[in-house]
Amino acid sequence: DAKTTQPNSMESNEEEPVHLPCNHSTISGTDYIHWYRQLPSQGPEYVIHGLTSNVNNRMASLAIAEDRKSSTLILHRATLRDAAVYYCILRDVGFGNEKLTFGTGTRLTIIP
Amino acid sequence: GAGVSQTPSNKVTEKGKYVELRCDPISGHTALYWYRQSLGQGPEFLIYFQGTGAADDSGLPNDRFFAVRPEGSVSTLKIQRTERGDSAVYLCASSLIHEPTGFTTGELFFGEGSRLTVL
């Protein structure tokens, strides 16, 4: 499986934008980039995913580098409820390979 | 509710005992996953079902672990002869299959997990 590298932790001020980076230099052409987050004492929650183009949804935006070797999850205006561990995951959509392999993620702390 | 339901939420057992953990996926979700998560770690893949069959069981750590999904909905994770190292939160997730491709959509819906403590 292609690997991702994320900072162990980040801090951000409430109501400010947050940019969470992820490096995936060994990404293959069939790897989708997925982001999940996990709030304390809960199961992971899907945030967003993309392949080549930038993606937006109600929760966040995903900016993907042109060479696809890195991506950034953007929370436009952080709230205290965004404090969580954020996981960047590569998913190869080859047949029969449906598992998502989680790393240790980035622990995001929001400062009031 | 309409989410993934896992029972029990907490289970304390003694070393050597047998344990069953149950997962009720979202109605209509053909794909079902089991993960386990130790303190401070990300979730670790165990097994993936598409319908009734285990399409990928490469994450099961040894033959003490087994999972079934006999009717393609509810799944049970079974652990025999539990060991202290099995203590973890066991997470279940379900997903829709994108019919034209046969792949999951990639959007997994997780339950809140079953916390297993082996004394």
Side-chain angles (χ1 to χ4, degrees):
Chain A
D1 292 335
K3 297 284 190 250
T4 63
T5 304
Q6 299 178 254
N8 289 333
S9 62
M10 289 182 64
E11 287 186 349
S12 182
N13 294 321
E14 193 178 9
E15 299 184 6
E16 300 271 328
V18 182
H19 291 234
L20 294 160
C22 181
N23 286 320
H24 29 77
S25 59
T26 60
I27 192 170
S28 74
T30 53
D31 279 325
Y32 277 77
I33 302 160
H34 289 257
W35 284 82
Y36 279 75
R37 72 179 186 181
Q38 189 170 22
L39 279 64
S41 301
Q42 294 189 24
E45 173 187 31
Y46 168 84
V47 178
I48 200 165
H49 77 280
L51 183 62
T52 57
S53 304
N54 294 345
V55 185
N56 300 295
N57 66 20
R58 64 175 179 81
M59 289 182 70
S61 296
L62 175 60
I64 302 172
E66 197 169 332
D67 63 5
R68 301 211 320 128
K69 293 183 185 298
S70 66
S71 61
T72 303
L73 180 71
I74 302 165
L75 307 179
H76 294 287
R77 190 167 169 272
T79 70
L80 295 178
R81 290 192 49 162
D82 292 321
V85 177
Y86 286 78
Y87 297 98
C88 170
I89 302 163
L90 298 184
R91 173 176 166 252
D92 184 353
V93 295
F95 181 74
N97 185 13
E98 292 286 2
K99 64 186 179 188
L100 295 180
T101 301
F102 289 76
T104 52
T106 297
R107 181 173 298 278
L108 176 65
T109 300
I110 304 298
I111 302 167
Chain B
V4 175
S5 176
Q6 292 189 245
T7 54
S9 55
N10 273 288
K11 175 71 177 178
V12 180
T13 191
E14 293 179 343
K15 181 174 177 297
K17 299 288 189 184
Y18 169 80
V19 166
E20 287 191 355
L21 306 174
R22 175 188 167 107
C23 173
D24 265 287
I26 293 172
S27 178
H29 281 195
T30 310
L32 185 144
Y33 300 74
W34 282 100
Y35 283 80
R36 74 175 174 180
Q37 187 170 26
S38 301
L39 196 62
Q41 302 297 312
E44 173 193 7
F45 171 80
L46 296 177
I47 188 168
Y48 161 68
F49 287 89
Q50 189 165 117
T52 59
D56 184 349
D57 64 357
S58 61
L60 294 177
N62 52 59
D63 61 5
R64 296 187 297 105
F65 288 75
F66 190 71
V68 296
R69 195 185 184 199
E71 297 177 359
S73 55
V74 170
S75 176
T76 305
L77 179 65
K78 308 179 181 201
I79 310 173
Q80 298 178 321
R81 304 183 303 281
T82 51
E83 299 177 357
R84 292 193 181 88
D86 298 335
S87 297
V89 175
Y90 288 80
L91 295 161
C92 177
S94 68
S95 179
L96 285 168
I97 298 290
H98 183 240
E99 291 299 335
T101 63
F103 301 143
T104 69
T105 61
E107 183 174 355
L108 274 60
F109 294 82
F110 281 82
E112 294 195 350
S114 294
R115 180 178 298 279
L116 174 66
T117 303
V118 182
L119 301 176

